[in-house]
Amino acid sequence: MSIRRPTPSFAHLHRLSDDVGLFEHAEHSTPRTSHGYCVDDVARGLLVICREPAAPTDLLHLAERYLAFVVEAQAPDGAFRNRRRADGRWQDEPSDGDWWGRALWGLGTAAARSPLPSMRETALWCFENGAHRRTRWPRAMAFAALGAAEILRVRPDHSAARWLLHDAVVTIGAVPTDPVWPWPEPRLTYANAALAETLIAAGGDASADGLRMLAWLLDRETRAGHLSCTPVGGAGPHDRTPAFDQQPIEAAAMADACARAMTVSADPRWERGLASAVDWFLGANDNGLPLHDPSTGGGRDGLTASGRNENQGAESTLALLSALQHGQRLDAADGPVLAGRQPGSFPTFDE
């Protein structure tokens, strides 16, 4: 299946945003303002914009707004609130859920990649204020650790980031040697590839374990030559595919992890996996339906057993944009499969 990969459009991201932040939900392409905002999505938005090369001024202004939202969500002890009403009032108390991890991921990315010195300085301060915290939840730790990996890319001696990445590896746990289920959990749940990516980012023996996990996950989630994502209800050793609902966050996490793997391994499976994850959004999936809406620039909310969810919320749109960013670099790298490319030679977000 030959797919033309489009350039990311941020039109729908602008549509979902206002002077405060990024609305979480949409009815088709219309923001559902009554549902308010969440740090989970605003931090994702900060990350995606800071990954965009040569971002235009209007996009940088949006990133500044998102950063201000995340800063306001942080408590003095480094924890984060998550949910905020449309009238500006916070609905929860600061804690260390997934939003803490995603906030640190977004902050670490902004600190490392933003072209604006003021943003880099503020993001680093907030990252450091939250990086001493820990949680027993592997995904929250993985998201935070990926922010730490961004910091370490530009500041290899940053001790707080180094310890956070180390402790995330410990929290994820030992990777079983059983080839049937080489996964450190009894079931796959959500953003699964982020666990493998965290181990790859950590280097050393952890990186080898992460590559082994990712290879198994990619094989498991490949069906008839295309990506077939783990559904929202998760999957165990005996569950059959395809299964629904499939969420865009899974394909985006797979794209990120395969792109990370390409920086440390010349195995062509990672480039094929990256292409498969990007193309899942464009119709190379179990239903043969694109999740990308070229008329709005938005991403639809998932694949269902009978078709697709036509709503275009923030999480799905940001997952699409992240994947399309990878797609642009993939298309710039001389063809669909670059066998023999050396580790680290795939274009990074800064090249």
Side-chain angles (χ1 to χ4, degrees):
M1 182 177 183
S2 178
I3 297 177
R4 180 182 178 184
R5 300 186 182 104
T7 300
S9 165
F10 292 87
H12 190 55
L13 192 63
H14 280 288
R15 185 180 299 110
L16 290 172
S17 303
D18 67 359
D19 291 340
V20 175
L22 173 63
F23 289 111
E24 182 177 7
H25 296 297
E27 185 173 0
H28 292 254
S29 62
T30 302
R32 301 181 71 177
T33 58
S34 62
H35 289 249
Y37 323 87
C38 66
V39 165
D40 269 322
D41 290 335
V42 175
R44 287 186 184 105
L46 179 63
L47 182 154
V48 167
I49 293 174
C50 289
R51 284 178 169 183
E52 181 67 12
T57 300
D58 63 338
L59 212 51
L60 293 178
H61 287 166
L62 202 57
E64 290 179 308
R65 204 176 312 156
Y66 293 168
L67 176 59
F69 186 103
V70 174
V71 169
E72 190 172 344
Q74 190 175 38
D77 65 0
F80 286 87
R81 299 177 179 88
N82 185 34
R83 299 202 169 275
R84 191 174 187 179
R85 291 168 48 143
D87 63 11
R89 289 184 290 175
W90 292 97
Q91 296 180 270
D92 55 357
E93 295 300 318
S95 63
D96 301 321
D98 279 0
W99 51 93
W100 164 79
R102 289 198 176 99
L104 292 190
W105 191 1
L107 290 168
T109 304
R113 299 182 187 270
S114 174
L116 303 178
S118 60
M119 280 192 66
R120 294 197 302 271
E121 181 179 349
T122 299
L124 181 61
W125 186 90
C126 289
F127 175 89
E128 291 173 341
N129 190 37
H132 68 280
R133 303 188 66 88
R134 297 294 184 268
T135 175
R136 66 187 180 91
W137 300 109
R139 279 160 185 75
M141 286 294 289
F143 300 147
L146 292 173
E150 289 289 330
I151 298 291
L152 292 168
R153 189 174 58 83
V154 295
R155 295 186 58 175
D157 60 344
H158 196 286
S159 61
R162 178 63 61 190
W163 276 110
L164 180 54
L165 183 54
H166 171 273
D167 290 349
V169 172
V170 173
T171 302
I172 290 169
V175 180
T177 57
D178 179 6
V180 177
W181 194 261
W183 197 260
E185 301 170 312
R187 285 180 63 82
L188 297 170
T189 57
Y190 64 97
N192 295 294
L195 300 186
E197 185 186 358
T198 298
L199 298 187
I200 295 168
D205 291 341
S207 183
D209 284 341
L211 290 171
R212 182 162 55 88
M213 282 174 61
L214 184 60
W216 174 82
L217 182 64
L218 185 58
D219 286 345
R220 178 182 172 86
E221 293 192 338
T222 298
R223 177 176 177 272
H226 62 257
L227 192 67
S228 180
C229 296
T230 295
V232 69
H238 305 297
D239 291 333
R240 302 179 67 179
T241 60
F244 301 95
D245 293 336
Q246 295 181 25
Q247 303 292 298
I249 187 177
E250 298 305 319
M254 180 63 79
D256 277 351
C258 287
R260 175 84 63 178
M262 290 173 67
T263 68
V264 301
S265 168
D267 191 328
R269 78 170 71 190
W270 312 127
E271 189 165 347
R272 291 194 297 267
L274 175 56
S276 179
V278 175
D279 294 344
W280 181 88
F281 290 89
L282 306 177
N285 53 51
D286 287 318
N287 288 348
L289 296 172
L291 278 297
H292 172 231
D293 183 349
S295 69
T296 66
R300 297 177 175 94
D301 281 353
L303 289 179
T304 69
S306 59
R308 64 191 177 192
N309 185 329
E310 295 293 341
N311 295 330
Q312 299 177 22
E315 178 183 291
S316 304
T317 293
L318 289 163
L320 166 73
L321 291 172
S322 175
L324 293 182
Q325 287 173 327
H326 284 302
Q328 292 299 290
R329 292 165 179 84
L330 191 67
D331 289 345
D334 303 324
V337 178
L338 307 181
R341 183 176 290 277
Q342 295 302 306
S345 65
F346 187 75
T348 69
F349 284 106
D350 297 321
E351 293 177 341

